[in-house]
Amino acid sequence: MTIITSIVNWLNYKRIYEIDLFKKHPIETQREVLFDLLDEARDTEIGRRYDFRTISREQDFKERVPIRNYEAYSADIDRLLKGEKNILWPGETKWFAKSSGTTNDKSKFIPVSKQSLEEVHFRGFKDVLAMYLKNNPESRVLYGKSLTLGGSHRVNSFNNNSYYGDLSAILIENTPFWSDFIRIPPAEVALIEEFDEKVAKIIEQSRDENVTSLAGVPSWNLVLLQRVLEATGKKNILEVWPNLEVFIHGGIKFDPYREQYRQLIPSELMNYMETYNASEGFFAIQDNPESNDLLLMLDYGIYYEFIPMDEFHQENRRAISLDEVELDKNYAMVISTNGGLWRYLIGDTVKFTQRYPFKIKITGRTKHFINAFGEELIIDNAEEALKVACERTSAIIREYTAGPVFMSQNSRGAHQWIIEFDQLPDELDHFVSVLDGTLKTLNSDYEAKRHKSITLDPPRVTVAPEGLFYEWMKQRGKIGGQNKIPRLANDRAYLDELLDLQKKNFGNQD
């Protein structure tokens, strides 16, 4: 292991130097990425369609290539799925990451080229390790195994030329055989589709291993860790894996789960490291353990643009480059990638916390907000307000979602929150009051609508019975992997489904 550690440290040292380079020269790095992408794809169908050969300025690229969502790409992607070549990226695209997200029930098949596998996804995971070891030089994480809870769909084939599955399944299929020596579970277990069966097998195979790190989505890993304790009869996870030192997480915001992890892993030495990766690419990494913002990775073959959210719904909305972004302003992210996505609207929103180097926080989704009354409530507001409410009432939240209560002839509007608690608040009324008050301080539009309850009544909180959200996701076929519980919606579809399920399966509880 000493030799392996030495080799890894040498490779990491070289990579840290490269990262420092793009941190010092971010605009030049991004410009170089764009023109490398254009040059690589100039003879593809899309390259000829928009004449990539004659694009000499970033502004030319913006004026010539339209911003598009998945639906606008679906016809081209359907052709790729059938084995056609050189459409969005040179050569054949064999792999497609199946993703439904939380904004659309229709499956999306995101093209994953050989270049994006190597230069984006795998490079991102290597950089996570490089940054972690830089920040923790005494780490012994390489002396044990990484327990990775991946997706819920194994790779399937459309035909002899193309395959689809969760991104995690695609990565497992393409990693070298020796990765099983440092990762658990082995591929045949990691790719089990039925979540409960997979978790049982993981526990069986990992309980006696030297697990030094965890990786995955906080919500599903929480289910796994709780079941580990049930199966072993231990009081906390360190009694099972005493050398556990880091949880590398992504997919959803960690703050609502932080206290639960502290209770399960009661050690001040435990580290938590956030990443921002998706089917479309690996975008950002928490490079500083003392700050929860993320370093935007600028040399992965992804060119970034940003649409100010206050212009998002305008007909002539503009997408700005990295050098134009402002701090603490909400942006929708647009990407062009070596996977063959060009000016693709990914659906996530971010805020910049720092320039030079450029660091971000994920604030939500372009379609996940409540604006039924002009209040423009985003996920970032919601999670910060819930955090404060929990701190002041000793509550711990497991899951939640929220949406509008629409006005009627005899009543004003409101927001309804369905919350499943691990630990109930000291007083529910006080919890609601703090939630409401904090939202007012965070969001002036919400405050205006709540003023004297002229438009909005105080929030209504429904306490969900234990297991409601898990059962709901299970019935929707969205257990495990990158599946996320939708936090905010501008209609009542999710709320009404949950309330109906609660009434049928759990009794009518409030």
Side-chain angles (χ1 to χ4, degrees):
M1 181 59 73
T2 304
I3 295 173
I4 294 174
T5 304
S6 298
I7 294 170
V8 169
N9 286 339
W10 181 81
L11 293 171
N12 287 347
Y13 178 82
K14 180 185 176 189
R15 179 56 186 153
I16 292 298
Y17 171 79
E18 294 171 349
I19 291 170
D20 286 341
L21 204 60
F22 82 63
K23 287 164 73 173
K24 292 175 183 174
H25 307 284
I27 309 307
E28 296 86 346
T29 300
Q30 274 286 277
R31 189 174 294 120
E32 184 178 341
V33 165
L34 173 61
F35 286 102
D36 283 348
L37 291 173
L38 293 170
D39 184 60
E40 188 87 11
R42 62 186 180 179
D43 293 323
T44 62
E45 187 172 308
I46 196 167
R48 293 192 299 271
R49 189 184 304 167
Y50 297 113
D51 196 10
F52 284 180
R53 283 178 179 271
T54 63
I55 293 177
S56 59
R57 302 178 307 143
E58 290 174 272
Q59 191 59 35
D60 296 338
F61 176 66
K62 294 178 182 181
E63 291 172 357
R64 199 174 296 180
V65 182
I67 294 171
R68 299 197 290 176
N69 58 17
Y70 182 84
E71 286 69 27
Y73 269 106
S74 59
D76 285 332
I77 290 174
D78 284 344
R79 292 170 60 197
L80 289 174
L81 292 170
K82 293 171 184 174
E84 292 191 47
K85 302 177 181 179
N86 299 312
I87 298 173
L88 299 175
W89 191 252
E92 182 180 33
T93 301
K94 292 182 61 174
W95 299 96
F96 297 84
K98 184 179 180 182
S99 170
S100 60
T102 51
T103 61
N104 193 329
D105 287 333
K106 179 183 175 182
S107 293
K108 301 175 184 177
F109 296 96
I110 305 299
V112 182
S113 69
K114 183 180 178 181
Q115 286 94 330
S116 63
L117 269 174
E118 294 292 336
E119 298 170 19
V120 180
H121 295 291
F122 288 142
R123 195 176 192 184
F125 289 117
K126 292 174 187 174
D127 283 353
V128 168
L129 179 61
M131 292 183 193
Y132 180 73
L133 292 177
K134 178 192 175 188
N135 291 326
N136 299 275
E138 303 302 315
S139 168
R140 295 179 65 84
V141 72
L142 294 177
Y143 287 72
K145 291 193 174 184
S146 175
L147 195 163
T148 303
L149 181 59
S152 54
H153 298 288
R154 64 174 64 244
V155 169
N156 298 281
S157 62
F158 283 106
N159 50 53
N160 292 331
N161 298 314
S162 61
Y163 306 88
Y164 71 91
D166 280 354
L167 177 66
S168 56
I170 292 172
L171 296 177
I172 288 168
E173 287 282 354
N174 284 276
T175 49
F177 73 93
W178 51 260
S179 64
D180 278 348
F181 294 116
I182 59 173
R183 185 197 67 216
I184 198 168
E188 63 268 18
V189 173
L191 294 174
I192 292 173
E193 294 195 38
E194 209 286 310
F195 183 76
D196 292 328
E197 178 189 353
K198 174 158 59 181
V199 166
K201 288 274 190 183
I202 289 174
I203 294 170
E204 177 187 323
Q205 295 189 5
S206 66
R207 58 192 294 174
D208 297 321
E209 292 280 355
N210 179 28
V211 174
T212 53
S213 65
L214 305 172
V217 178
S219 54
W220 302 123
N221 272 68
L222 191 63
V223 173
L224 170 63
L225 296 183
Q226 289 167 337
R227 292 190 186 177
V228 166
L229 295 185
E230 291 170 9
T232 60
K234 302 296 185 181
K235 292 181 181 178
N236 65 65
I237 293 300
L238 294 177
E239 293 183 4
V240 184
W241 299 312
N243 297 318
L244 181 65
E245 62 173 86
V246 61
F247 176 31
I248 298 162
H249 57 87
I252 57 177
K253 197 163 183 177
F254 187 59
D255 281 349
Y257 302 94
R258 193 176 297 278
E259 185 55 37
Q260 294 168 79
Y261 275 88
R262 282 180 182 154
Q263 292 186 7
L264 286 169
I265 311 170
S267 170
E268 293 300 317
L269 300 178
M270 182 66 184
N271 298 298
Y272 297 91
M273 187 173 181
E274 186 174 357
T275 65
Y276 177 16
N277 60 312
S279 299
E280 296 86 352
F282 201 120
F283 305 125
I285 301 171
Q286 183 182 5
D287 67 327
N288 180 0
E290 302 302 319
S291 175
N292 61 3
D293 50 8
L294 309 176
L295 176 68
L296 194 62
M297 305 304 290
L298 302 178
D299 65 348
Y300 281 4
I302 301 173
Y303 177 73
Y304 295 97
E305 298 173 74
F306 305 90
I307 301 173
M309 279 306 292
D310 55 9
E311 302 178 19
F312 186 76
H313 297 287
Q314 295 177 11
E315 187 175 339
N316 297 318
R317 63 189 180 186
R318 63 195 175 99
I320 61 176
S321 301
L322 196 63
D323 58 337
E324 300 175 83
V325 298
E326 301 174 28
L327 298 184
D328 210 32
K329 187 171 182 177
N330 216 25
Y331 294 102
M333 199 158 78
V334 176
I335 57 172
S336 299
T337 79
N338 53 14
L341 299 173
W342 298 95
R343 306 201 80 202
Y344 180 79
L345 191 60
I346 190 174
D348 289 338
T349 61
V350 300
K351 282 184 180 179
F352 283 85
T353 60
Q354 188 176 324
R355 287 165 51 95
Y356 298 94
F358 286 84
K359 295 193 178 186
I360 60 171
K361 283 186 178 180
I362 306 160
T363 56
R365 301 278 294 171
T366 55
K367 294 184 179 179
H368 276 214
F369 53 83
I370 308 177
N371 195 32
F373 313 100
E375 67 275 46
E376 296 188 21
L377 185 70
I378 63 173
I379 293 173
D380 199 44
N381 300 153
E383 305 226 315
E384 181 61 29
L386 288 171
K387 177 184 174 184
V388 174
C390 284
E391 288 171 350
R392 294 189 188 172
T393 64
S394 303
I396 301 174
I397 289 174
R398 178 177 295 181
E399 302 292 357
Y400 78 91
T401 194
V405 178
F406 292 107
M407 296 176 177
S408 67
Q409 262 189 326
N410 302 315
S411 65
R412 291 179 287 268
H415 291 172
Q416 183 172 13
W417 300 71
I418 300 179
I419 303 177
E420 185 176 334
F421 290 95
D422 260 353
Q423 184 171 302
L424 286 165
D426 297 334
E427 294 181 21
L428 186 59
D429 287 347
H430 184 41
F431 178 93
V432 174
S433 176
V434 175
L435 173 66
D436 186 36
T438 308
L439 287 174
K440 290 176 183 176
T441 65
L442 294 170
N443 185 319
S444 59
D445 292 311
Y446 177 86
E447 181 183 32
K449 302 303 179 290
R450 280 283 297 117
H451 181 65
K452 296 184 179 179
S453 296
I454 293 172
T455 303
L456 281 179
D457 277 339
R460 304 178 190 177
V461 173
T462 298
V463 177
E466 183 178 352
L468 176 65
F469 281 90
Y470 182 86
E471 184 61 31
W472 180 56
M473 294 291 278
K474 190 173 183 179
Q475 289 193 11
R476 300 171 74 223
K478 291 182 177 290
I479 289 289
Q482 290 289 323
N483 292 305
K484 307 162 193 172
I485 289 169
R487 297 309 193 190
L488 303 178
N490 209 32
D491 57 43
R492 290 193 54 82
Y494 299 137
L495 292 174
D496 290 339
E497 283 180 18
L498 280 160
L499 293 171
D500 286 345
L501 179 62
Q502 178 175 327
K503 193 178 294 185
K504 290 175 185 173
N505 290 23
F506 297 85
N508 193 11
Q509 306 174 36
D510 275 343

